[in-house]
Amino acid sequence: MPRTDMMKEKGLTLVDAINEALYQEMERDERVVCLGEDVGLNGGVFRVTDGLQKRFGADRVVDTPLAESGIMGTAIGLAMGGMRPIPEIQFEGFLGPAYDQLTNHAARYRTRSRGAITVPMTVRVPVGGGIHAPELHSDSPESIYAHTPGLKVVMPCTPYDAKGLLLSAIRDPDPIVFFEPKRVYRSYREQIPEEEYTIPIGQAKVVSEGTDITVVSWGASVFECLAALDKLPEDVSAELIDLRTIYPIDQDTIIQSVLKTGRCVIVHEAPKTCGMGAELSAIIQEHCFLHLKAPVQRVAGFDTVMPYYKLELEYLPNAERIGEAIVQTLSY
Amino acid sequence: MPPRGVILGLFMAQMTTDTHSGAGLRKARTHRVSDALPGETLIGWLKDMLLIREFENRCAQAYQQAKIGGFCHLYTGQEAVAVGTIQSLERDDPIVTAYRDHGHALARGMDPGACMAEMFGKITGCAKGKGGSMHMFDKPNWLFGGHGIVGAQTPLGTGLAFAARYEWEVMGKPCPNPGVKPGDKPKKKVSLAYLGDGALNQGALHEAMNLAGLYSLPVIYVVENNGYSMGTAIERGTTMAHDLRKKADAYGIRGEIIDGFDVIDLYDDFKPVVDWCRENQRPAFVDLKTYRYLGHSMSDPQKYRTKEEVDQFKGKDSIDRLASQLMGERKGKDGKPILSETRFTEIQAEVKEAVRKAMDFAEESPTPEVEAELYSDVFINPQPNLSPTRDYIHGVKNPLL
């Protein structure tokens, strides 16, 4: 939606930035169709699509029944027919019912038809914990989709990155799972360009430069990492990388950083086993083995089901756990 | 309510050509749209059906010779369904189907060579030999794939109908698809989503039908009801099997039962449904009674039915029936049958020759090259870890594009 006075003065939240990207791309390209549960009249469960139906009509911002498999399948059919659908799945756990369509169809059409049929679709999904929601509403399944050939997986955490990456995603000819860390939907405002801009998918961002240790994270955990870095002794120079795109992984940025620092801590909310931290650790040992001064550490969720809200902060990586891992790695 | 024993599979209820025809439930035909068709058109249908039959026979042989790998689900017996329904469409109406898809590909006009080469896993196949039997794609002919997950293709048909309706209703112009020229006006289209009776019990179909009913989308769910979901007779797995229109009723969708054993009757019943869906931009659901002569796949012991049952259905074979109609009661302007025996023999020979050529083409075509094809066509651009090296060439262009 057009910017309010408050946005002009104080900047945009993640929700505002995503809404602005959707608004601008729907203005620019009439093939763009948003569809999902309550995305229209009600503006979405997190109000991300607020105002879009009023502006673009119910034919382009389509309220659907609670039927994720039908939503995803219909969106794939729309994409095959030439449109640019943006289905919204309300919570990452609800990808379960749509999993068949997403992984067995969307991800595979380019291969299965050998380039004849493609699925330019951006699936928007709020992700992660920290909003006092139970499991299925607080999970971090990004590695499942990164492990699915044919899908790109994006997870920005700042308003600036969200807008630029969403515009890239919608224009990308391949299917993209666009995870939106719901914990930071409204926690942070940022002044970002009003005009449209894109950020290439597959490029990590160096949030702060440093020489002693590399910290890699993505999603809401990036803010926990920033808090942890703030508490480090002044003589520690830490480099923080926000992965932004989960797949394809920006190997070069990580490798270059670890070659420089010789140490790495990876932070994510998802369970530790087979999380993206495992993949990144493997990449680092493949490329930086002789430069490593300490084992790569992972600060992650546990291999348990995301707990209910009273315990969620014990589950999620916090500044304290991240700080401890950094200190341990530095003193190895 | 069927006897409990039927549901539990304790005894086998023989299906007959009478019980599996929808007789008594079908609407009476008011007029025959096929009367307006030229004789040559009907002869073309016969040729298409013969082509599918011959193609499948040769596939079975090639599979037994291990020239075709993977799985192979043959269409033999159901030819009238693909030909009759596709002939009721415009050439740019999109279709999706399930894994028993060779018949649809051929009826839609896919080159038999590209189809057979796909079966053989050769680079000249419709998907460069990477999709195989269950994944026939032909974008220029608006075939959006065979699909291996039962029922999962039905929401795609719904989405294709959505896209078609969106083109003329919202955009006012067509997307750049095959056959679309700059300046073309958008058309009212109908999309066809074929499914087997086994897919009736998959959730995806019900979500798809609800959406189509809700949004008034021009999609027809064509149930190729051959009576068996793999080895499970329809009444053992599906409620209201005796009148599937009730499922359509639940979603506010027009429901029809059509006999699929006579291709002209099928066309006379199905074409008006297509026309109605196109004109009104509404969905429909068609229980199309048919029968497969062979097993579900190439390795099916067929314990679920008797040889007598199969023979009974072979007795009302749709190809024999059409041939005898064209050589008998169907007369041209000169008062003679529109198809002479000589011409019929010629057509049979032509079809055999076409499939033989397709086999030769498939045999002689090269297998996909590892360097070019193993790592390509996952994304539009190369990505790390898709290949042993970061640099790889794009695969060859899809032969159908």
Side-chain angles (χ1 to χ4, degrees):
Chain A
M1 293 300 293
R3 293 187 177 187
T4 60
D5 289 340
M6 215 250 289
M7 287 183 211
K8 285 174 190 161
E9 188 190 332
K10 294 188 172 166
L12 277 67
T13 62
L14 193 68
V15 165
D16 297 334
I18 294 168
N19 181 279
E20 184 165 284
L22 291 170
Y23 185 88
Q24 290 178 349
E25 197 62 4
M26 292 192 80
E27 285 280 7
R28 196 184 76 89
D29 186 348
E30 60 191 342
R31 297 171 304 167
V32 177
V33 182
C34 291
L35 66 164
E37 298 154 6
D38 281 340
V39 297
L41 194 61
N42 230 16
V45 65
F46 289 103
R47 307 289 171 266
V48 177
T49 50
D50 202 24
L52 295 180
Q53 192 183 64
K54 203 171 172 191
R55 167 66 187 86
F56 298 104
D59 290 330
R60 295 191 64 197
V61 184
V62 184
D63 280 319
T64 66
L66 307 188
E68 285 82 5
S69 171
I71 295 166
M72 194 71 80
T74 302
I76 295 168
L78 270 165
M80 287 161 66
M83 304 307 157
R84 296 269 164 169
I86 308 178
E88 176 185 290
I89 300 296
Q90 290 189 329
F91 290 88
E92 70 293 316
F94 304 179
L95 279 170
Y99 184 79
D100 174 38
Q101 294 292 340
L102 184 58
T103 61
N104 289 338
H105 287 167
R108 299 186 186 203
Y109 274 122
R110 185 182 286 280
T111 300
R112 192 174 284 159
S113 70
R114 286 285 130 181
I117 290 160
T118 58
V119 182
M121 169 178 81
T122 303
V123 185
R124 289 187 38 252
V125 195
V127 74
I131 62 157
H132 300 328
E135 45 135 348
L136 299 178
H137 304 67
S138 294
D139 300 339
S140 294
E142 65 270 17
S143 62
I144 294 172
Y145 301 97
H147 193 62
T148 303
L151 292 179
K152 293 179 185 173
V153 183
V154 177
M155 199 194 295
C157 71
T158 68
Y160 178 81
D161 289 345
K163 180 174 173 182
L165 280 164
L166 183 53
L167 289 174
S168 289
I170 301 169
R171 296 172 195 179
D172 196 283
D174 287 308
I176 286 169
V177 183
F178 191 89
F179 283 122
E180 302 166 2
K182 55 180 102 79
R183 186 183 189 182
V184 292
Y185 255 155
R186 292 183 169 80
S187 66
Y188 166 67
R189 286 184 179 274
E190 187 180 18
Q191 292 292 355
I192 66 173
E194 189 158 10
E195 64 273 16
E196 55 180 73
Y197 60 94
T198 57
I199 295 171
I201 287 166
Q203 278 186 11
K205 179 168 77 175
V206 179
V207 180
S208 65
E209 288 193 27
T211 51
D212 297 335
I213 187 165
T214 303
V215 179
V216 184
S217 190
W218 53 92
S221 295
V222 171
F223 293 94
E224 293 298 321
C225 292
L226 280 169
L229 261 53
D230 269 353
K231 290 178 191 157
L232 289 176
E234 275 194 15
D235 59 339
V236 175
S237 166
E239 181 147 301
L240 176 61
I241 296 175
D242 176 0
L243 205 54
R244 299 195 295 194
T245 297
I246 311 299
Y247 188 90
I249 302 168
D250 181 359
Q251 297 194 15
D252 290 346
T253 299
I254 292 160
I255 292 166
Q256 289 310 317
S257 177
V258 178
L259 287 177
K260 178 173 66 177
T261 62
R263 301 179 184 92
C264 186
V265 171
I266 301 160
V267 183
H268 60 68
E269 288 186 23
K272 192 170 188 177
T273 302
C274 292
M276 285 304 293
E279 181 61 33
L280 293 170
S281 302
I283 290 170
I284 291 166
Q285 68 83 17
E286 279 169 3
H287 295 273
C288 313
F289 188 68
L290 293 176
H291 293 77
L292 284 176
K293 296 169 188 158
V296 175
Q297 284 222 46
R298 289 176 285 165
V299 182
F302 303 100
D303 289 5
T304 61
V305 176
M306 179 78 193
Y308 198 32
Y309 69 99
K310 289 288 189 193
L311 298 176
E312 73 177 346
L313 296 179
E314 306 303 317
Y315 180 92
L316 298 171
N318 55 32
E320 194 181 336
R321 274 170 64 198
I322 298 164
E324 278 171 20
I326 293 173
V327 169
Q328 273 178 23
T329 304
L330 285 166
S331 59
Y332 179 80
Chain B
M1 187 72 185
R4 196 169 155 73
V6 171
I7 295 172
L8 297 176
L10 299 179
F11 61 82
M12 218 162 30
Q14 177 128 337
M15 198 156 63
T16 70
T17 50
D18 289 332
T19 59
H20 189 65
S21 71
L25 290 172
R26 292 197 308 272
K27 276 189 200 141
R29 216 172 278 123
T30 47
H31 74 292
R32 285 184 166 275
V33 283
S34 64
D35 285 345
L37 295 173
E40 279 306 312
T41 302
L42 300 177
I43 292 171
W45 296 4
L46 179 63
K47 198 170 171 180
D48 283 353
M49 288 162 70
L50 285 165
L51 175 70
I52 297 170
R53 178 78 48 99
E54 176 67 10
F55 188 93
E56 298 294 60
N57 288 343
R58 297 301 300 268
C59 278
Q61 287 172 0
Y63 190 86
Q64 274 146 7
Q65 294 165 356
K67 289 177 178 168
I68 295 173
F71 298 95
C72 188
H73 309 87
L74 300 178
Y75 201 62
T76 313
Q78 301 185 200
E79 296 88 349
V81 176
V83 172
T85 51
I86 285 171
Q87 289 297 331
S88 305
L89 300 177
E90 301 292 329
R91 65 156 295 283
D92 53 2
D93 286 327
I95 70 173
V96 289
T97 185
Y99 49 81
R100 199 179 302 286
D101 58 351
H102 317 161
H104 306 80
L106 295 171
R108 206 69 220 266
M110 185 189 285
D111 170 50
C115 196
M116 190 65 86
E118 190 59 36
M119 306 287 301
F120 277 57
K122 298 295 186 73
I123 189 71
T124 51
C126 65
K128 298 202 296 190
K130 303 289 185 68
S133 166
M134 293 190 263
H135 302 131
M136 294 294 168
F137 283 85
D138 187 352
K139 195 173 181 190
N141 281 316
W142 293 81
L143 169 60
F144 287 87
H147 298 268
I149 303 286
V150 171
Q153 75 280 11
T154 53
L156 273 47
T158 311
L160 284 160
F162 194 148
R165 182 161 184 167
Y166 189 89
E167 275 184 350
W168 71 264
E169 204 168 66
V170 179
M171 291 171 62
K173 64 179 183 211
C175 284
N177 275 312
V180 176
K181 292 185 288 296
D184 276 359
K185 292 259 180 298
K187 294 179 180 173
K188 280 187 173 180
K189 291 188 177 185
V190 177
S191 106
L192 251 53
Y194 293 91
L195 57 140
D197 47 293
L200 287 165
N201 310 311
Q202 284 278 14
L205 171 68
H206 295 273
E207 296 191 20
M209 285 172 59
N210 184 56
L211 286 167
L214 199 64
Y215 300 150
S216 188
L217 298 174
V219 52
I220 305 178
Y221 304 99
V222 182
V223 184
E224 297 196 52
N225 181 354
N226 62 25
Y228 294 98
S229 168
M230 295 182 75
T232 303
I234 183 166
E235 67 274 11
R236 287 175 56 209
T238 304
T239 53
M240 299 304 289
H242 63 285
D243 188 358
L244 294 177
R245 292 174 304 183
K246 297 284 188 259
K247 303 205 183 266
D249 285 350
Y251 300 111
I253 292 178
R254 175 178 174 175
E256 298 286 346
I257 297 172
I258 293 179
D259 185 309
F261 297 94
D262 179 315
V263 70
I264 299 179
D265 283 352
L266 190 165
Y267 178 84
D268 284 329
D269 291 339
F270 190 73
K271 179 75 165 60
V273 179
V274 173
D275 293 346
W276 179 87
C277 290
R278 190 187 307 283
E279 180 54 33
N280 299 292
Q281 294 287 288
R282 290 284 303 152
F285 171 95
V286 176
D287 174 9
L288 231 161
K289 308 286 189 189
T290 184
Y291 197 80
R292 70 169 146 77
Y293 296 169
L294 304 172
H296 158 74
S297 67
M298 298 300 290
S299 54
D300 178 357
Q302 300 190 60
K303 289 179 183 170
Y304 49 86
R305 62 182 182 183
T306 61
K307 188 172 175 301
E308 292 71 36
E309 183 187 295
V310 180
D311 286 343
Q312 198 194 155
F313 281 94
K314 284 184 177 172
K316 66 184 242 183
D317 181 71
S318 58
I319 297 181
D320 290 349
R321 190 189 292 217
L322 180 61
S324 76
Q325 281 171 325
L326 300 187
M327 289 190 288
E329 68 259 31
R330 196 98 188 175
K331 305 265 193 315
K333 283 180 189 151
D334 57 3
K336 289 183 191 161
I338 57 175
L339 181 64
S340 67
E341 288 201 20
T342 322
R343 176 102 192 267
F344 182 46
T345 313
E346 282 167 14
I347 289 173
Q348 285 176 306
E350 283 167 28
V351 163
K352 273 200 179 340
E353 178 60 13
V355 177
R356 193 192 60 73
K357 273 189 178 163
M359 293 288 286
D360 289 349
F361 176 73
E363 291 258 25
E364 288 158 15
S365 291
T367 48
E369 281 180 29
V370 174
E371 287 301 314
E373 299 302 333
L374 183 54
Y375 320 114
S376 57
D377 290 328
V378 178
F379 297 106
I380 194 165
N381 291 318
Q383 301 295 340
N385 284 352
L386 294 191
S387 74
T389 60
R390 273 194 82 145
D391 304 314
Y392 66 90
I393 54 171
H394 279 282
V396 301
K397 198 174 174 208
N398 186 306
L400 296 186
L401 294 180

